[in-house]
Structures are given as structure tokens and as C-alpha cells.
Amino acid sequence: MRKFILWFVFLAVLTAQSLHAQDFLVKGKVISHEDNEPLIGVSVLQEGSTNGIVTDIYGNYTLEIKGTAKATLIFSYIGMQSQKHEVNARTGTLNVVLESDAELIDEVVVVAYGTRKKGTIAGSVATVKAEKMENVPAAGFDQSLQGQTPGLQVISNSGEPSKAAVFQIRGTNSINSGTSPLFILDGVPISSSDFNTISPGDIESISVLKDASSTSIYGARAANGVVVITTKRGLSIDKAKVTLRAQYGISQLASDDKWMLMDTPERIRFEQEIGIDKGKDYELLSRTNVNWLNEVFNDSAPLQSYELSVNRATDRLNYYVSGGFFDQEGIAQSSNFRRFNMRANAEVKASNWLKVGTSTMTTYEEVQQAEEGAMALYTPIAGSRFMLPYWNPYNEDGSLASENNGTWKGTGQNPIEWMANNPVQYKKYKLLSTVFADITPVKNLTIHTQFGVDYTHSTAFMQSFPSYIINNESGSAGRSSSDILSLSETTTANYRWALNDNHSFNFMLGQEAVNYQSTGFQAIAVGQAHDMLTTLSSGTRATSWVDNNSSYYYLSFFFRGEYNFKDLYYAEAAVRTDASSRFGKQNRWGGFWSLGFMWNIKNEAFLKDVKWLSGAQIALSTGTSGNSEIPNYDHLALVSGGPNYLGQAGIYPMQSGNSTLGWEQTWTNNVGLRLSFINRIGLDVDFYHKKTTNILMLVPQSYALTGEKNRWENIGAMVNRGVEISANADIIRTKDFTWNVSANVSYNKNKLVELYNGVTEYVQSTTGLKFVVGHPVHEFFLNRYAGVNPANGDALWYTKDGELTTEFREEDKVMTGKTFDSPWAGGFGTSLAWKGLSLSAQFSWMANRWVMNNDRFFEESNGLYSSYNQSKRLLYDRWKKPGDVTDIPRYGVVAQLDDRFLENASFLRLKNLTLAYVLPQAWLKKSNFFSSARVYLQGQNLLTFTGFQGLDPEVASNIYRAQYPASRQFTLGVEVSF
């Protein structure tokens, strides 16, 4: 019996060992969840071993498992979420569906010199994704950012198609130095004037870095925040994805209900009332009634855009190639913009330790701009306000009414004819290219080296035809040319280190250099005798010649360290030192630093089981950054040539310089709270305090000292304090239907706390502004208008002591408490999607923002400019008899630039409305060609709510004057991929 038991145990153990050590095969197919297409080259690896295989061209695999009864297979593919599956001898066939890692991509945030996982950042960073920009019918991406993120103010400022918007992050930090953020495109600093060279369809994401923890590592140029622009890379797996995007639309004035100028009957009546009707044939004049707004502005200016892109990603190669054409006719006479652009982004994994790549963009532009900002009769935008309604710019046959043949009956020039006879054309050639190498000499250490070239060649050609009678049979021609070359080099060494599962570290050491060179010239010649020969060489003499050369250099070293404890506590620190050629040797180097802490409180034990709270983080940061935006050579004492005496050239002292000039510095503190609820609702709140010291300012001085009226000095200080709130919620989220709403609001309070040499106030002449310690830096300083005396029609003002007076005096000006920097700004939007149909709307707004309406001053001049057209209000609302209650005095009491023309330019604008339909995959599969297709209708600036009396409340300066207004656009778009 004992022998039987021993034999039984021996056989059982032998059988178990045999079962445990058997070999088996697993086979199957791997497809993509997105389009159910087979995936080629998927890695299938047995966990814990080197046993593996890749799928074939049909997505099939067969893998032999040896020496074990069960195993775990890892399926991985670039751009897809990896999966693990347990298998054994009974598995046989295992088919796998891999899902895109787009969700993971959304969790990655681009920050300074790298990327970070969302939720591990101590700094204040906001991200705008590609879908917010790629379909916006605008030459540049800047228009699409308005109202998208708190703390970032984007003001269109001009409706001219080629003009860039004005950016501001968390208030105004300087008096005379730069207030614009630093813009980084694929690691290279760029100017806002280059925004329209970048196709919005090529942009993957934009990160707005707002606090010291996220910006100080950019040091010298980051005091006003940083905007990091990242272009697209290849994402299509298995095969190349080709995408064609086309748009066609029209543009028109966004708002024409503010046009208050008189028509012909009103003008005739006005002239008769004020007594300037002598010698006029009103029977003849009344036959013409022209609305000059309609003559100067087009209500159906065409817009078209076409883009073709190809992208692919494999385990070794990643590329994105695109080309595009954009053509927009401006709504104002003689303005248009045309662009041809190409881009090639590629990355190649040359070996296990080396990756190389490039991002290259080339652009060619043709621009014609309508003159704006000057109150001149001959420019259409300003001229439209001056021209009388019975002056017709066209003859009955449609030809231009001309001074040449006497068909123009108006005073001065026909502005439309003047522009036709004095054209100016601009051309721009742009190359921006970076090449980089990522070297991994040892595990966890990556050395990144990047070289960038930013080259711009711009030309302008001006003509004035001799046949135009105004030119007295003598034409003119002018040419200008400029070349800008900016070379940059960046090298970083990044080392990651983990200590067990609790502690992880990331250290980065870097160096950067920038070399900027610009050169240009301009020449004008006159005396041309024929319209076909208006070139420089056909002129008889030169009247102007100018050349210029400029340069600057930056050299920087920086370090950043990051620490993560159990995904619970995060800390980061950064230091940077910069040297700039814009400062003298004494203060050439500037040092900047930051500290950031984040507590992921949701991962604490006492909150882990709270189901309704999806996330909770508290972030703190503090640090400094700098500003060096001043002219390149103003710290130097220089002489200049040019003056002559009896034909002999001479030189003169041009500027005294300031060898002690140094960095403007901003110290920023930030407290942030980030919450999410039930995985559907997100709420972010940030509080910040910024103090700018050593402000760079053009300080006034006596001519007797150096012969200059001012020079650059480091003076004073100012403070910005504010709060930012953003919220996002999926109200409904089901399989077929989603409804999302989002909103953000920001408030900033600015205060000047110190000026120069003990001075506490300084008037900016002719601007209506005054620097006063204790007040916002851009507060208006004006006489206060008190209305009209109903008894006699006299204009009334307040004295500085608040008493009524009929005398307008400079000494009665006071600080108004109103500024053209908007303290309140924000945006909100909603999107609804049902199966393939979607509807989205985005609003933007600004509040408590004041602007001097200079156009209204001319239109309500009450006698200064009565020979030109005037506002209807002078006819209907001016004081005419005792007892009239109005704000316009009797005729002849001319207008003054007081706070009567200071208007609230707050606005709420429906920035974008889009209706789109994505065709079902079942339809597309029948074509055996298309992988996706989308059609959409879009409207830009459809509605504007404002009390401002100008044509457009968006103006970046303190004065609204002959501005090119914003346009309303209607666009039909198609996007197909195959």
C-alpha cells in the first residue's frame, strides 16, 4: 500500500510539472477602435521576457509561449493606449482592439522647455487645443483666443486682415517698456507681427504661462507672461492620414448701427439752420444721397482658405507635412491679404539613444492695407466720416468721380480715387526652421540640443501716379526693404530619477543664446512722367533715403528641479541668469528665480473615498522674471550723421545713453485652487499679486543737460493684484448626446506706487493720461463736462473743486477714475453634440474699459468742422432755445476734448457660432476611400452688445480714431480625411 501511494504521488508531481511546462500558441488580430482598420507593427510582448512579435500588414500575429502554463501579453503601439491580457493554453485566439491615446495627449501640457502631465504642475498654466483654432476663418490664430482663458486679454484692435491682435496677461506691468507676453513657437521666440505667417490649422496647442513658477525659467523676457505655441506632429498610426480642409465665406461690418452721420435731407436742413447755405443749389444736391459707410466698406468681401496635410507616426518615424493658401479681401477699400504657406515637422528615431527632428515653416504674403488711425480727408476710413452725403464718389456710369475731369464735386480729394492713385503694396517672405537632436547617453538622461533660424524679408512698394491732378503731373515711387535674422540655440540636459515608489525627481540644466540682426533701407524718388513708369529709376531726383541696422544678443543659463512624493506633494524650483546687450556692463546680467508647491489633496487618505470629489489641488508659487523691451542701443552714448552745412556733412551728439541701465523686474505670487467633481465639473481659482520694480521709463529731463528731452532710466514701481476663475461642466454626457458649458472671468487692479526722483505725478501731454502715484497707470486726466445751461445754451464744466464754470481751463483737469485697461474680462461658451451633429457658441467680454472717442469729437465739433459731415445729434439734439435740456451746447460753442467724449468701451461679443456635422463611418466605409468627413457653417462676431458709439469697441489704445472696424464673417467649411 505504501509503494502504491509513493508511485501515485510521483506520477501526480510529474504530471503537474508536465502541465506547467507545456508550450502553446496564441494568435489573433489587432485593430483600431477609431476605424476598425488593422494595425501594422503592433508590438506583442510576453511580459517579463524578450519573447515577442509584431503584427503583419493585416494586423495578424502568432506568438509561441514556452515553458509556462500561462503568461501576460502586452500590446503596445505608438499613439495607442497599451493593453495587457492574460493567456493560457486554452486561449487559442485573442483579438485586440486598441484605443487612441488622444485622452492621454489631452493630459499632457506644454510648459517651458518641455511637457508635463496635467495635474502635476504647481504653476498657473492654461491650454487652448487645436479644435479652438484650426477652423476659425482668420489669417492668424490670435483672433480665436479671445475669451478662452482667464487672465489673457486679446484685443483685435483692427479689422484689417493682416493685423495682429494685442495680447496682455494679468494687467500692465510697465510704463514705457514692453507689455506684451513672450511668444514661443516650437522653442523659438517670435514676434506678434508674425502671427499671420502661421496657419492656424498647423497649431496643436497653445499654453498660456501666467505665474512665476511657469514663466521665470524664461527669465529676461517673461515679466508679461509667456505664450507657448506648439505645432502638430504625426498622430496617424498604421498608414498616412491625408486631410483636406477648405473654407469659403464673406465678411462685412460687424456693427453699422452706430453710424450717426447725416444723410442729404438732414445735411441740407443743418446747413440752412446754421447759415452755411449761401450759393448752394439744394434742388440739385438733394438728388444725391450717399451713405459713405456703404461706399467705403464692402458688405460681401470674399474669404477663401485651403489646407492639405499629411501625417503619420510609427515607432521610428513621425512626420506632419502641410501646405495652405489663404486669401481675404478686407471690408475696407484697398485692403486685402493673401498667404501661401508650407510646413514640414519630422522626427526620426535614428537609434535607441538618438532622435533627430525638424520643424520648418515657409510663408509668402502679399498685403495691401487701408490707411487707418489718421484723420485725413484722402484716406477712405477717415474720409468716410468727413464726406458730405451729396458728394458721390462714383459717376452714373460707375466710374470714379475724378478731379481730373471735374466730375468730383466735393471738397478736397475723393478718398476712393486717392487710394486708387496712390497704392502701397507689401510683400513678406518668412522662413522659420529648427533642427534638434535628443541624445540619451545613459538611462533617464536626455540631452536636447536645438538650433533655430528665423528669417524675414519684407518689401514695400509705393506709387503715386502723375496723371492724378493732385500730383501736378509729377509722380513718385518709393521702395523699402528689410531683412531680419534671428538665430537661437538651446541645449538642455534632463535627468529623471526615482527612489522606490515614493519619490521621483526631475532635474534640468540648460543654456540658451539669441542673436538678432536687422537691416533695411528706404528710398523715394519723384518726377515720374507716366503712370506706367512709376519706378525709382524713372524719377528725376531722390527726396528721401534712409537705412538702418540694429542688433541685440541674449545669453542665458538656467536650472529647474522637480520633486514628486507619492503623487501627493509636488515641489519645483527654477533659477535663471540672463545677459542682454541692451544694458551696460554694470547691469548686463540679471538673475531670476521661482519656487512652486502643489498639494494633491485628493490623494490624501481622508479624501480618497469621497466619490463626488474627483480632484482637489492647492498650488502656491512665488518668483521673479524680467523685462528688457527697450531700443537696442539706448544705453549707449552715440553720435549720428546726417546734418549738413553748405553741402558739408556733419555729425552731432544723438543721445547721452545710460551705462547704469538695468533689468526691469516683476515679483509674482500666486495661490491656486483646482477642483473637479463627479468627473464632470471643473473649477479653477487663482489669486495673484505682482510687483514690478526698477521700471524702465523714458524719464523727462531738461534740454540744457544733454540736449535731449528724455532718456531711459530705472525708476519706480507698480502693483497688479487680481483673481481668475474658470469653470467647465458636462451637464449631460451620454453615449449619443453631450452638453458642455464653460466660463471664465478675471479681475485685475493696477496701481502705480512709485515714480522717479520723488515725483508723484507726471502728465503725458496730448494723451489725456497722467501718471499719479496711488492710481492706475493708464487713468484718464481730463476736464469734467457738466452739460449745457438750459437757459442760454452755454457749455458747462466743473472746476477741480467741483464748482460749475463756463470756462474751459487746463488747471481744472482731474483724475477721472477711469482707465483704458479693462479690469474685468472673460468669456463663456457652450457646445451640444448629438451623434454626428454639433452646435457650439463662444462669447467674449470686457467691462469697465474707457476710451476717448476722437471720431465723435470731430462729428460733434459744433462749429470746428461744419464744412464736413457731422453727427445727426447736432441737428436733433443741440441746444436751440431756452429750456432745451441736452448735452450739446448751442451752435458755435465748439467742442473740447473733455470727458464728454470719454466712453465706456465695455462689450459682450458672440465671437463664434459653429454648426457642424460629421458623416457616419458606415457611410464613409462604402466609399473605400474616406476615413472621416465633416461639414460646418460658422459665424464670427455675429452679435456685439456695447454702449460705445464707435463702429468697434475693441481698441488697444486710449484713443479711438479712424480705426479699421472688426468684420462679421459667414463661412462654409469642409474637412475630409482619407
Side-chain angles (χ1 to χ4, degrees):
M1 183 66 181
R2 182 178 295 175
K3 290 183 178 179
F4 175 78
I5 293 173
L6 290 174
W7 275 106
F8 177 79
V9 171
F10 173 75
L11 291 173
V13 171
L14 186 65
T15 301
Q17 288 178 341
S18 176
L19 288 172
H20 182 71
Q22 69 179 329
D23 299 339
F24 60 92
L25 293 175
V26 178
K27 64 180 180 178
K29 187 173 186 177
V30 183
I31 63 174
S32 167
H33 178 269
E34 184 178 357
D35 53 14
N36 293 323
E37 292 291 326
L39 293 174
I40 306 169
V42 176
S43 171
V44 185
L45 180 68
Q46 180 182 344
E47 188 175 43
S49 74
T50 58
N51 182 34
I53 197 172
V54 295
T55 57
D56 61 20
I57 60 173
Y58 303 106
N60 297 322
Y61 72 95
T62 301
L63 183 65
E64 184 178 8
I65 310 297
K66 296 181 178 180
T68 181
K70 62 180 180 178
T72 299
L73 300 186
I74 304 173
F75 295 80
S76 59
Y77 195 54
I78 187 171
M80 296 289 185
Q81 299 181 32
S82 297
Q83 294 184 17
K84 291 184 178 182
H85 295 274
E86 290 190 356
V87 295
N88 53 46
R90 295 185 299 273
T91 301
T93 300
L94 173 64
N95 294 323
V96 175
V97 180
L98 292 184
E99 297 187 2
S100 169
D101 68 352
E103 181 179 343
L104 297 179
I105 293 174
D106 286 342
E107 294 298 310
V108 174
V109 178
V110 178
V111 294
Y113 303 102
T115 59
R116 297 276 293 278
K117 184 179 178 182
K118 188 177 181 181
T120 66
I121 301 172
S124 181
V125 180
T127 300
V128 181
K129 293 297 185 180
E131 56 268 20
K132 297 291 186 180
M133 294 166 283
E134 57 190 4
N135 295 321
V136 173
F141 67 88
D142 46 343
Q143 306 291 338
S144 60
L145 295 180
Q146 192 178 75
Q148 293 286 356
T149 183
L152 173 64
Q153 288 190 15
V154 181
I155 303 175
S156 295
N157 193 43
S158 174
E160 203 280 319
S162 68
K163 295 286 184 70
V166 176
F167 282 60
Q168 191 176 83
I169 296 177
R170 292 184 167 180
T172 299
N173 298 300
S174 187
I175 294 178
N176 296 134
S177 185
T179 59
S180 177
L182 170 66
F183 300 99
I184 302 292
L185 174 64
D186 291 334
V188 176
I190 64 169
S191 167
S192 61
S193 62
D194 291 327
F195 286 170
N196 55 34
T197 65
I198 308 167
S199 171
D202 287 341
I203 295 176
E204 178 62 38
S205 68
I206 293 179
S207 293
V208 182
L209 315 183
K210 297 181 284 187
D211 74 321
S213 182
S214 58
T215 66
S216 67
I217 198 166
Y218 282 114
R221 297 158 291 171
N224 299 307
V226 183
V227 177
V228 181
I229 307 159
T230 305
T231 57
K232 291 179 178 178
R233 298 295 187 268
L235 291 176
S236 179
I237 313 303
D238 174 30
K239 58 184 180 181
K241 180 180 180 181
V242 182
T243 301
L244 173 65
R245 184 181 295 113
Q247 294 179 318
Y248 183 82
I250 60 170
S251 303
Q252 56 187 219
L253 267 175
S255 176
D256 58 5
D257 59 333
K258 304 295 185 179
W259 190 254
M260 292 293 293
L261 295 174
M262 300 177 187
D263 60 19
T264 295
E266 291 168 328
R267 177 65 193 187
I268 292 174
R269 179 181 161 189
F270 176 71
E271 291 180 359
Q272 291 171 335
E273 286 186 2
I274 65 173
I276 59 171
D277 55 341
K278 293 181 175 59
K280 294 188 176 181
D281 186 352
Y282 286 128
E283 182 179 352
L284 175 63
L285 295 178
S286 62
R287 299 173 190 172
T288 302
N289 191 4
V290 174
N291 184 331
W292 276 85
L293 184 74
N294 296 334
E295 299 300 328
V296 169
F297 295 99
N298 190 349
D299 65 352
S300 57
L303 174 153
Q304 56 183 328
S305 175
Y306 307 95
E307 291 181 283
L308 181 67
S309 65
V310 183
N311 81 89
R312 190 185 180 191
T314 68
D315 59 340
R316 290 284 178 181
L317 175 66
N318 177 314
Y319 67 83
Y320 173 88
V321 180
S322 71
F325 170 70
F326 182 89
D327 187 14
Q328 182 178 359
E329 184 179 312
I331 58 172
Q333 290 274 354
S334 304
S335 66
N336 55 69
F337 176 81
R338 176 175 293 180
R339 178 184 65 213
F340 300 85
N341 62 277
M342 293 186 294
R343 172 172 287 280
N345 294 346
E347 299 176 3
V348 179
K349 190 174 182 182
S351 67
N352 291 332
W353 59 271
L354 175 64
K355 181 171 71 173
V356 295
T358 181
S359 295
T360 300
M361 175 194 79
T362 60
T363 303
Y364 167 70
E365 295 177 351
E366 295 176 348
V367 179
Q368 189 173 3
Q369 296 179 343
E371 207 167 322
E372 61 175 321
M375 301 305 291
L377 287 175
Y378 55 82
T379 61
I381 293 178
S384 64
R385 297 184 171 275
F386 289 112
M387 298 297 103
L388 297 181
Y390 48 68
W391 296 343
N392 197 330
Y394 296 99
N395 298 316
E396 291 183 3
D397 61 359
S399 61
L400 278 172
S402 175
E403 292 180 86
N404 287 2
N405 55 24
T407 53
W408 168 246
K409 303 300 182 183
T411 300
Q413 301 86 19
N414 177 351
I416 299 176
E417 183 190 24
W418 190 93
M419 286 297 293
N421 283 278
N422 295 273
V424 181
Q425 295 178 327
Y426 301 89
K427 294 181 180 180
K428 186 175 183 178
Y429 306 80
K430 180 79 174 180
L431 169 66
L432 197 154
S433 180
T434 62
V435 293
F436 72 87
D438 285 343
I439 303 170
T440 309
V442 297
K443 185 179 180 181
N444 296 330
L445 174 63
T446 300
I447 300 173
H448 175 87
T449 297
Q450 175 176 287
F451 294 91
V453 176
D454 183 356
Y455 174 70
T456 303
H457 174 65
S458 302
T459 65
F461 181 37
M462 176 272 290
Q463 294 171 281
S464 186
F465 300 132
S467 64
Y468 187 36
I469 193 172
I470 298 298
N471 296 330
N472 296 318
E473 299 183 351
S474 177
S476 64
R479 284 192 180 276
S480 67
S481 176
S482 70
D483 292 275
I484 299 175
L485 177 63
S486 179
L487 303 176
S488 62
E489 173 272 328
T490 305
T491 299
T492 60
N494 201 90
Y495 183 71
R496 296 182 182 276
W497 173 47
L499 179 63
N500 54 55
D501 293 331
N502 295 334
H503 309 275
S504 62
F505 301 87
N506 185 30
F507 301 105
M508 181 182 68
L509 183 65
Q511 173 268 327
E512 188 172 44
V514 176
N515 180 343
Y516 173 94
Q517 304 280 339
S518 72
T519 183
F521 75 89
Q522 181 189 73
I524 299 176
V526 299
Q528 289 82 352
H530 195 280
D531 287 2
M532 302 299 291
L533 293 173
T534 48
T535 62
L536 283 178
S537 58
S538 59
T540 59
R541 67 185 187 281
T543 59
S544 174
W545 51 92
V546 177
D547 66 344
N548 59 78
N549 296 277
S550 188
S551 65
Y552 67 80
Y553 307 89
Y554 282 114
L555 178 62
S556 310
F557 299 93
F558 50 89
F559 168 81
R560 178 170 63 200
E562 303 167 16
Y563 170 67
N564 174 4
F565 176 70
K566 289 185 175 181
D567 288 333
L568 185 61
Y569 304 110
Y570 299 84
E572 58 186 55
V575 293
R576 178 166 176 141
T577 181
D578 291 276
S580 171
S581 63
R582 288 171 172 164
F583 301 124
K585 292 182 180 180
Q586 298 181 43
N587 295 301
R588 181 155 292 163
W589 287 91
F592 311 98
W593 58 272
S594 70
L595 296 172
F597 305 93
M598 195 266 284
W599 178 21
N600 193 354
I601 193 172
K602 171 59 181 174
N603 286 349
E604 293 283 7
F606 60 87
L607 284 180
K608 274 191 174 181
D609 297 329
V610 180
K611 302 298 183 183
W612 55 268
L613 184 63
S614 309
Q617 297 178 340
I618 297 175
L620 306 171
S621 68
T622 184
T624 63
S625 51
N627 191 352
S628 59
E629 289 301 304
I630 60 173
N632 294 333
Y633 304 116
D634 275 35
H635 70 286
L636 297 173
L638 298 175
V639 296
S640 179
N644 70 85
Y645 180 72
L646 298 177
Q648 296 296 314
I651 61 174
Y652 69 98
M654 178 182 172
Q655 64 186 39
S656 60
N658 183 355
S659 61
T660 65
L661 202 61
W663 295 89
E664 182 177 286
Q665 189 171 94
T666 298
W667 184 7
T668 303
N669 299 284
N670 193 89
V671 178
L673 176 64
R674 303 156 194 165
L675 302 172
S676 60
F677 308 94
I678 61 175
N679 286 317
R680 288 194 180 189
I681 302 171
L683 176 66
D684 292 349
V685 182
D686 279 277
F687 300 91
Y688 63 86
H689 179 281
K690 300 195 300 181
K691 183 173 183 179
T692 303
T693 55
N694 290 327
I695 292 175
L696 289 164
M697 178 182 174
L698 276 171
V699 176
Q701 61 181 5
S702 171
Y703 277 97
L705 297 177
T706 62
E708 304 164 280
K709 65 177 180 179
N710 49 43
R711 74 169 190 164
W712 285 99
E713 291 185 8
N714 292 108
I715 60 94
M718 74 170 66
V719 170
N720 285 276
R721 290 189 291 266
V723 59
E724 300 166 356
I725 304 172
S726 64
N728 183 80
D730 287 336
I731 304 299
I732 300 175
R733 187 171 65 199
T734 65
K735 179 181 178 182
D736 293 327
F737 181 71
T738 60
W739 176 25
N740 173 271
V741 295
S742 61
N744 67 80
V745 58
S746 61
Y747 173 76
N748 180 81
K749 182 176 178 60
N750 172 278
K751 183 170 72 172
L752 187 63
V753 295
E754 182 185 344
L755 263 172
Y756 59 90
N757 299 332
V759 173
T760 59
E761 57 183 47
Y762 168 60
V763 177
Q764 292 183 274
S765 60
T766 73
T767 65
L769 303 175
K770 184 181 182 181
F771 300 139
V772 178
V773 171
H775 290 255
V777 69
H778 289 147
E779 185 174 339
F780 284 96
F781 178 65
L782 297 167
N783 294 87
R784 293 173 293 171
Y785 188 64
V788 175
N789 185 337
N792 58 16
D794 282 344
L796 299 174
W797 291 272
Y798 292 108
T799 65
K800 63 180 180 182
D801 298 322
E803 299 177 355
L804 288 177
T805 179
T806 59
E807 186 179 357
F808 181 87
R809 300 182 305 178
E810 288 289 322
E811 56 267 32
D812 287 328
K813 288 183 176 180
V814 298
M815 300 299 285
T816 62
K818 300 171 181 177
T819 171
F820 72 84
D821 290 323
S822 176
W824 293 95
F828 57 91
T830 185
S831 63
L832 300 97
W834 177 70
K835 295 186 176 180
L837 189 66
S838 63
L839 176 67
S840 64
Q842 178 67 34
F843 292 81
S844 65
W845 59 271
M846 291 185 179
N848 198 26
R849 185 168 179 275
W850 297 81
V851 171
M852 178 63 73
N853 191 339
N854 198 71
D855 284 359
R856 224 185 92 214
F857 170 77
F858 280 90
E859 293 163 10
E860 298 180 13
S861 67
N862 212 27
L864 283 175
Y865 304 102
S866 294
S867 57
Y868 303 107
N869 209 4
Q870 298 284 276
S871 169
K872 296 174 183 286
R873 298 192 67 234
L874 285 187
L875 176 64
Y876 297 113
D877 298 337
R878 77 176 191 277
W879 186 94
K880 297 179 182 177
K881 63 181 187 304
D884 285 347
V885 178
T886 179
D887 64 330
I888 302 178
R890 69 180 187 277
Y891 183 78
V893 180
V894 298
Q896 302 289 342
L897 276 171
D898 50 40
D899 72 349
R900 168 185 160 198
F901 301 103
L902 185 63
E903 296 187 17
N904 192 336
S906 305
F907 67 89
L908 168 63
R909 176 163 273 172
L910 176 54
K911 196 66 182 176
N912 181 274
L913 180 67
T914 302
L915 176 65
Y917 181 65
V918 177
L919 276 65
Q921 283 292 318
W923 295 6
L924 299 174
K925 284 185 178 180
K926 294 179 181 179
S927 70
N928 293 320
F929 184 70
F930 295 104
S931 60
S932 65
R934 176 175 177 263
V935 294
Y936 55 93
L937 289 169
Q938 188 171 199
Q940 288 282 111
N941 299 329
L942 294 183
L943 298 171
T944 302
F945 304 95
T946 181
F948 185 65
Q949 294 301 305
L951 291 177
D952 187 5
E954 286 192 62
V955 53
S957 69
N958 60 310
I959 297 177
Y960 179 87
R961 179 172 52 212
Q963 180 173 310
Y964 196 129
S967 62
R968 178 190 296 122
Q969 297 169 335
F970 301 92
T971 311
L972 171 65
V974 178
E975 182 180 328
V976 294
S977 297
F978 41 88

